[in-house]
Amino acid sequence: MAAKARLNKEALVSTAMEIADTQGLDAVTVRRLAQEHGVTPMALYRHFTDKEDVLDALAARLFEQVVIPVQDDRAWDEQMADLLSAFVKVLRPHPAVAALVVTRGLDSEPALTLAERALGLLASAGFPVEEAAGIAGAALCSLGALVVTEPGGGPAAPADPEERDAAIRARRATLSALSPTRYPHVVAAAGVLADCPNDDAYYERGVHTIVNGMRYAHAH
Amino acid sequence: MAAKARLNKEALVSTAMEIADTQGLDAVTVRRLAQEHGVTPMALYRHFTDKEDVLDALAARLFEQVVIPVQDDRAWDEQMADLLSAFVKVLRPHPAVAALVVTRGLDSEPALTLAERALGLLASAGFPVEEAAGIAGAALCSLGALVVTEPGGGPAAPADPEERDAAIRARRATLSALSPTRYPHVVAAAGVLADCPNDDAYYERGVHTIVNGMRYAHAH
DNA sequence: ACCTGAACACCGTTCAAGT
DNA sequence: ACCTGAACACCGTTCAAGT
């Protein structure tokens, strides 16, 4: 990662992504990013106006990677499920960065292409614009929230697998030690709550929950 | 806010909440908190192990305030809607702190009393434990995500109303200026997207979307 | 145009010390 | 037991300067 060519924005975002994935979002630092590229911190300010701008670019990179499924003649809800699944697929490998999606919303240009598609599907279903906007925004943010809670996710992620497992064990122990009379269901679910199995089934359920909520709103 | 009595944990959390609400989450600082109580930064470390611990306490304070509705003999889904509404009611005045709910999950003791109730309702409906745990966690986090996107919400909130309005105007201008051929639906919804009306109806829809997703999963 | 260097006003946190 | 004070290793960002 030594300074080879000229300082490049895309490359900077890429290493920011790597740092976020491995050390958590808090480790993404102007100075750290500069150092990783063998350059002075101030050199970054030629490509970003702010640190905020760096994080915006990081979130935008996520949206860029979404492979938006081609439009076909299936029902709107089936296509919506595919669209949301494509989004989740991109978010899952980057739980720390998913927090940015939740807190920053859909400001970048790549995010808007995704939003455009979601709004289009809702419009084809007959939703009024105001309702569609609220529903689409909520859906995308909720999916972000789903991914953020991935074990070892979040802004201050313990990415070290050993440390991660220790944290999960500690959590399960705390939950199991709760009063079974006051928290019967929490204690019963201690195992699942401590290391909630954020597997394919978990996310499929999340997507289907959201799509079905849309179906419900559609049917009044 | 001068130093009167001895340094008090509850009072510290209260001023942390005020700061978060008015200046955003980033303004919540160990040094700032100490200064506000007329005390040295290190004095806080008698009440909190970490800055993380301060933020955990801040999130916990939110869960404490939730007035959990008393159990009655209505259907599980109606009671669930009330429970989630009670949670949203507490989150709404504190959009910046809601981000902590999303990223930190349900670790505190007050959060677990809320989770216990949600799990109980799902169990009474006949959901298997693993599924119930995933659904309940996702529901609460999603509601947090809904509130975080409140205009002027999020960790770096421009709480100054004048600045907030300026940001909204700027966003609407950007969205309206997009290519209407590439982003027809986004442009059409520019007004709503820029200052999405996070009113009662918006949150009611959010709650109902989630509850109905549960109903769907229940019916397979 | 692109990058450096020194400086400033902040952070969280340590360690040792005071009362 | 509770708090202070000085210090350390970090931040983001400014301004002026170099090539």
Side-chain angles (χ1 to χ4, degrees):
Chain A
M1 206 60 68
K4 304 179 165 192
R6 268 249 250 28
L7 204 54
N8 174 263
K9 180 162 179 170
E10 298 308 314
L12 283 166
V13 175
S14 295
T15 79
M17 187 74 76
E18 275 173 44
I19 295 172
D21 290 341
T22 54
Q23 270 109 300
L25 203 55
D26 289 345
V28 176
T29 264
V30 174
R31 293 182 117 105
R32 168 79 185 277
L33 230 39
Q35 183 192 329
E36 213 89 47
H37 285 255
V39 103
T40 270
M42 285 312 299
L44 297 206
Y45 284 75
R46 217 136 282 268
H47 301 276
F48 306 98
T49 71
D50 245 341
K51 192 198 170 174
E52 289 287 279
D53 198 28
V54 176
L55 297 180
D56 285 346
L58 200 53
R61 166 68 60 89
L62 235 45
F63 285 104
E64 280 169 22
Q65 291 176 316
V66 178
V67 185
I68 298 181
V70 287
Q71 203 152 5
D72 54 35
D73 49 0
R74 286 177 303 156
W76 68 272
D77 50 351
E78 291 181 41
Q79 296 193 62
M80 180 65 78
D82 283 357
L83 183 64
L84 297 185
S85 294
F87 184 47
V88 167
K89 195 176 182 179
V90 168
L91 288 179
R92 283 183 67 178
H94 310 287
V97 186
L100 294 177
V101 172
V102 178
T103 55
R104 283 158 197 269
L106 312 171
D107 269 334
S108 64
E109 198 264 347
L112 289 176
T113 60
L114 184 61
E116 173 63 27
R117 196 47 194 286
L119 289 176
L121 287 171
L122 291 174
S124 80
F127 283 93
V129 235
E130 312 91 32
E131 208 178 337
I135 290 177
L140 297 180
C141 286
S142 297
L143 290 179
L146 239 57
V147 177
V148 175
T149 59
E150 181 100 18
D160 179 36
E162 198 174 321
E163 196 180 340
R164 204 199 72 118
D165 283 5
I168 291 174
R169 271 197 308 276
R171 256 196 96 191
R172 178 162 34 221
T174 314
L175 292 173
S176 303
L178 285 173
S179 155
T181 60
R182 283 178 58 185
Y183 305 99
H185 300 98
V186 170
V187 173
V192 205
L193 284 173
D195 184 10
C196 58
N198 292 18
D199 50 7
D200 294 355
Y202 175 80
Y203 288 108
E204 264 178 47
R205 222 162 33 221
V207 168
H208 277 82
T209 300
I210 290 172
V211 171
N212 195 67
M214 294 176 180
R215 286 193 191 108
Y216 178 80
H218 186 243
H220 278 63
Chain B
M1 206 61 66
K4 304 177 166 191
R6 268 247 248 30
L7 204 55
N8 175 264
K9 180 161 178 170
E10 297 308 313
L12 283 166
V13 175
S14 294
T15 79
M17 186 74 77
E18 275 173 45
I19 296 172
D21 290 342
T22 55
Q23 270 109 296
L25 204 56
D26 289 346
V28 176
T29 264
V30 174
R31 294 182 116 105
R32 168 79 185 275
L33 229 40
Q35 184 192 329
E36 213 89 48
H37 285 255
V39 103
T40 270
M42 285 312 299
L44 298 206
Y45 285 75
R46 215 135 281 270
H47 301 275
F48 304 99
T49 71
D50 245 342
K51 192 198 171 175
E52 288 287 279
D53 197 27
V54 176
L55 297 180
D56 285 345
L58 200 53
R61 165 69 60 89
L62 235 46
F63 284 104
E64 280 170 23
Q65 292 177 314
V66 178
V67 184
I68 299 182
V70 286
Q71 202 151 6
D72 53 35
D73 49 359
R74 288 178 302 157
W76 67 271
D77 49 351
E78 290 181 42
Q79 296 194 60
M80 179 65 78
D82 283 357
L83 182 64
L84 297 185
S85 294
F87 184 47
V88 168
K89 194 175 182 181
V90 168
L91 288 179
R92 283 183 66 179
H94 310 286
V97 186
L100 293 178
V101 173
V102 178
T103 54
R104 276 149 204 277
L106 311 171
D107 269 335
S108 64
E109 197 266 346
L112 289 176
T113 61
L114 184 62
E116 173 63 28
R117 196 45 194 288
L119 289 176
L121 286 171
L122 292 174
S124 79
F127 282 93
V129 235
E130 311 89 36
E131 208 177 337
I135 289 177
L140 297 179
C141 286
S142 297
L143 290 179
L146 239 58
V147 176
V148 175
T149 59
E150 183 100 17
D160 180 37
E162 197 174 320
E163 196 180 339
R164 203 199 72 120
D165 283 6
I168 290 175
R169 272 198 307 276
R171 257 196 96 190
R172 177 162 34 221
T174 315
L175 291 174
S176 303
L178 285 173
S179 155
T181 60
R182 281 177 59 185
Y183 304 99
H185 300 97
V186 170
V187 172
V192 206
L193 284 173
D195 184 8
C196 58
N198 292 16
D199 51 8
D200 294 355
Y202 175 79
Y203 288 109
E204 264 177 49
R205 221 160 35 220
V207 168
H208 277 83
T209 301
I210 290 172
V211 172
N212 195 68
M214 293 177 182
R215 287 192 190 109
Y216 178 79
H218 186 243
H220 276 63

